[in-house]
Amino acid sequence: MEGKRSAARKPQGFPRRYRLGDNKNYRFVYRRGKSIPSRNVVLIHLKGRDLKIGFSVSGKVGNAVTRNRIRRWMREDVRKLRAQMKCGKYIFVARPSLKNVPHETLTRELAQLLSRGKLLKEET
């Protein structure tokens, strides 16, 4: 059974049930949500019943390769923080300065944004 994926390993993707979805949902969160800025990322959030997350990386950040890399980094970091996040709708918007930042800095900045906005669940 070499070369086959082991049954014990669970896929680590970003499930569809956590995605914000179509443009209508993004516009709603942009219009009604609260904004928390940082040096390289802006978080826009709105309270809600379930957890929905979206990512926005504009053409100002760089070419397609750069934008997709940044989007993958953000998606991975948020996937790890997802269990600690409060319910609601979130959009993480990348600023152009993010293309010159290492992944570790982005990871730290996303966690700081969520804690600064009091969007992480309290530990009991």
Side-chain angles (χ1 to χ4, degrees), residues 19-98:
R19 294 182 193 165
L20 194 53
D22 58 358
N23 190 21
K24 180 179 70 172
N25 294 330
Y26 276 86
R27 285 195 323 247
F28 182 75
V29 176
Y30 277 124
R31 204 170 46 248
R32 298 266 177 93
K34 301 261 189 282
S35 175
I36 305 172
S38 74
R39 182 178 299 272
N40 301 305
V41 180
V42 177
L43 171 61
I44 302 168
H45 69 93
L46 187 62
K47 289 183 180 179
R49 284 180 281 187
D50 48 356
L51 183 61
K52 298 290 183 182
I53 304 167
F55 304 94
S56 177
V57 184
S58 78
K60 294 178 184 178
V61 175
N63 62 12
V65 175
T66 305
R67 292 193 309 268
N68 288 328
R69 184 183 67 234
I70 289 171
R71 198 174 297 116
R72 280 195 311 269
W73 284 355
M74 286 197 298
R75 197 179 302 133
E76 175 64 14
D77 294 338
V78 171
R79 182 188 64 81
K80 290 177 181 175
L81 292 168
R82 195 173 58 214
Q84 302 163 9
M85 291 170 68
K86 291 182 179 177
C87 290
K89 297 180 180 186
Y90 299 84
I91 299 177
F92 293 90
V93 182
R95 288 186 165 171
S97 60
L98 192 56

Side-chain angles (χ1 to χ4, degrees), residues 100-116:
N100 302 320
V101 173
H103 185 202
E104 296 78 30
T105 306
L106 173 62
T107 305
R108 199 170 36 250
E109 197 166 323
L110 290 178
Q112 287 172 351
L113 267 175
L114 289 168
S115 64
R116 204 170 65 195

Side-chain angles (χ1 to χ4, degrees), residues 4-12:
K4 298 257 182 176
R5 202 182 285 208
S6 68
R9 187 165 175 255
K10 196 170 131 184
Q12 297 288 320

